[in-house]
Structure formats: C-alpha cells, structure tokens
Amino acid sequence: MTTPRTRGAQDSSLENDTPTTVLSRASKKKSRKVDPWGVVAWLVGLGFFFPVLWMVLTAFKQEGDAATNPPTILFTPTLDQFKEVFAQGIGPTVLNSVLATGISTLLVLLLGVPAAFALSLRPVRKTQDALFFFMSTKMLPIVAVILPLYVIVSNIGLLDNIWALVILYTAMNLPIAVWMMRSFFLEVPAELIEAASLDGASLWRSVREVILPLVSPGIAATALICVIFSWNEFFFAVNLTAVNAQTMPVYLVGFIAGEGQYWAVLSAAATMAALPVILCGWFAQNKLVRGLSFGAIK
C-alpha cells in the first residue's frame, strides 16, 4: 500500500524529470522492441555469408571429411591443404593477380577521375554522347571480341604477358569508373569551385584541395569495385595467358581434375584467393559505405 509520503516522493520525482530524461526513457523502451526487418536483414546476411564460411571450414578438413555425405560437422582442423596449395606454386600466380589488378586500377583512376570531372563540373559539348560512348563499350559480349583480341595480342608479342591483362582490365573498368565518379562529382556544389577561384586558387589547386577530399569516399568505392572486377576476371585470363601471366581464377581451375574434384584443397586455394579482396573491403569499409551513400542525404 502506497503511503502519502511515498506517493508524494513519486510525484516530486516525476515533476523533477527533464524532457531529456523522458526522451531517454522512451528511447530505451523503444530500443527493447525487436525490429522484424532487422531480423530479416540478419538472416539474409547470414545466408549470403554461409557459403563463404563453409568454404573456409572445408579448407581445414581432410579430403575424406570434405567429401562425406552428409557433410562432416565435427572434424580435426589441419593445414595440410594450405601446404598443398603452396607446394603447387601459388606465389607467382598471386603476384600476377596483384600486378594486373593494382596497375589497372591505378590507371583507371588516373584516366577516369579527370574524365568524370570534365563530364560533371566542367561539362564538354555533347556530354550525353560521350557518356553513351563509354557505356556502349560494355554492351558488346566479351566472347564476340576474344578472337580479334587474341590475334592482336599475339601479333604485338603480349600473349601470356601480364601487360596484356593490364590494358584489357583498364579498358574493361574505365566506363564503370567514369559513370560512378561522375555521380559523385555531381553531388559537389559548383559554388565551392567558384569560391575557390574567387580566393585566387587555380583549377588544379581547387581540384586537389577542395574537390578530391570531398569525393575521396567515392574514389575508394570506385577503386574497390575495379579491384573486385579485375581480381575475379576469368575469360580474358584463361584465353590470353598460359603459365607466365596466369592469374588466380585460372589457377583455381587447375584443382578440378578429370577424376573428380578435390574439395578440401580447392577450398583452401579459393580461401587464399578471396582473402586479399576481403581484406581490401575490410580496411576500406568506412570509405566504401560513405562512397556508396554519398549524396543520398541532403
């Protein structure tokens, strides 16, 4: 039973509550409620992540445990499959993929950022025609051009050469980079360049000190997309390389033998192939999220 003194103390405490306290209590009550869409998002995310998790787990199994049906859940982890991958010479293949991906991404940014700037903040005549030309290069199926490309690459002496992949990867990713960077540049107010020019800054200084810091998340997002596309590219690599310029996707095919698939060693090689891209995305995740949501909230 509530005494008058207790009731008075409760009333006084309610009167002394500030609006901030009331809002904090309301937010705590609201946060205790389970958001069904959040649960759905987690389930979908786990569903997408499960194949990657299963690949990593299979990489630590023996071949006998990896081939069982139903799958073996409890097993003794081993590094034998990774030792097998290193024994088959994965080092030069990783180096080829790193060179082809890194150099082509750098070239794409060096060519795509100025082109996107020219088509956005400093538009040229017939901008839409230029944009359509960039995207039209992506409309032709790769299989339709592989024969003339093979003849050209063979005649200029770049067959089974890493520089052939660098040139092709640059041409492959450049249209996407221009379109992505143009959308980021369009979100930058033109008044910033006008204010910088009024302060006496040249165009190059305005771009270097004003524009590029603002669009750096977009540059990071574009670079990561180019890295993923170049690292995972298979068709050019399998047709234009043999041994010297072999990349990771072509290297993984070698683990599929005629007598069957060796799931454990293939999973170990696939884990090592996916690790560099995963690490790039992990370290650039902050800028990637900012870049993908750049201009979404005014």
Side-chain angles (χ1 to χ4, degrees):
M1 183 173 182
T2 305
T3 61
R5 179 179 296 179
T6 306
R7 188 183 297 111
Q10 291 177 354
D11 295 339
S12 62
S13 62
L14 291 175
E15 292 176 357
N16 293 330
D17 283 346
T18 61
T20 306
T21 307
V22 176
L23 290 175
S24 63
R25 290 178 179 174
S27 62
K28 288 180 180 179
K29 292 181 180 179
K30 186 178 180 180
S31 62
R32 293 173 184 173
K33 297 180 180 179
V34 178
D35 186 8
W37 289 110
V39 176
V40 173
W42 271 102
L43 293 177
V44 172
L46 292 176
F48 279 107
F49 179 72
F50 181 76
V52 180
L53 176 62
W54 191 256
M55 176 187 70
V56 176
L57 292 177
T58 307
F60 291 94
K61 294 180 179 180
Q62 296 288 352
E63 288 294 345
D65 296 331
T68 58
N69 189 14
T72 302
I73 304 299
L74 300 177
F75 61 93
T76 303
T78 179
L79 296 177
D80 293 343
Q81 313 308 328
F82 292 95
K83 295 178 182 178
E84 179 68 20
V85 172
F86 280 106
Q88 295 191 20
I90 193 176
T93 304
V94 173
L95 181 60
N96 290 334
S97 292
V98 170
L99 290 176
T101 301
I103 297 175
S104 64
T105 302
L106 181 60
L107 291 176
V108 166
L109 294 179
L110 291 176
L111 297 174
V113 172
F117 177 79
L119 294 173
S120 57
L121 298 179
R122 296 285 180 173
V124 297
R125 293 182 60 186
K126 297 184 178 180
T127 300
Q128 296 299 325
D129 294 342
L131 290 173
F132 179 77
F133 170 75
F134 280 120
M135 292 308 297
S136 64
T137 59
K138 301 292 295 181
M139 298 178 184
L140 186 65
I142 299 179
V143 68
V145 298
I146 190 61
L147 182 59
L149 281 178
Y150 184 90
V151 174
I152 294 173
V153 170
S154 178
N155 290 337
I156 63 178
L158 291 181
L159 198 62
D160 197 16
N161 191 303
I162 196 64
W163 289 105
L165 297 181
V166 169
I167 296 172
L168 292 174
Y169 291 172
T170 302
M172 176 183 69
N173 292 326
L174 187 58
I176 301 174
V178 171
W179 272 81
M180 288 186 63
M181 286 307 306
R182 181 176 179 269
S183 64
F184 296 132
F185 277 122
L186 288 175
E187 299 297 334
V188 178
E191 290 78 6
L192 291 178
I193 299 181
E194 296 177 0
S197 61
L198 291 176
D199 291 338
S202 61
L203 178 60
W204 168 242
R205 185 177 179 184
S206 300
V207 172
R208 188 179 70 252
E209 299 182 5
V210 178
I211 305 300
L212 289 182
L214 290 177
V215 299
S216 59
I219 295 177
T222 304
L224 185 59
I225 293 297
C226 293
V227 166
I228 294 174
F229 286 170
S230 299
W231 188 271
N232 296 332
E233 200 282 323
F234 175 77
F235 195 77
F236 285 144
V238 75
N239 287 282
L240 301 179
T241 65
V243 179
N244 297 328
Q246 186 183 65
T247 58
M248 284 303 300
V250 181
Y251 176 78
L252 293 178
V253 178
F255 290 95
I256 303 176
E259 61 271 15
Q261 296 180 359
Y262 296 93
W263 292 109
V265 67
L266 178 60
S267 298
T271 300
M272 297 183 64
L275 187 60
V277 179
I278 294 176
L279 291 178
C280 289
W282 177 264
F283 288 117
Q285 60 179 334
N286 293 332
K287 288 188 175 295
L288 178 62
V289 172
R290 288 179 57 195
L292 294 178
S293 61
F294 191 74
I297 300 177
K298 296 292 186 181

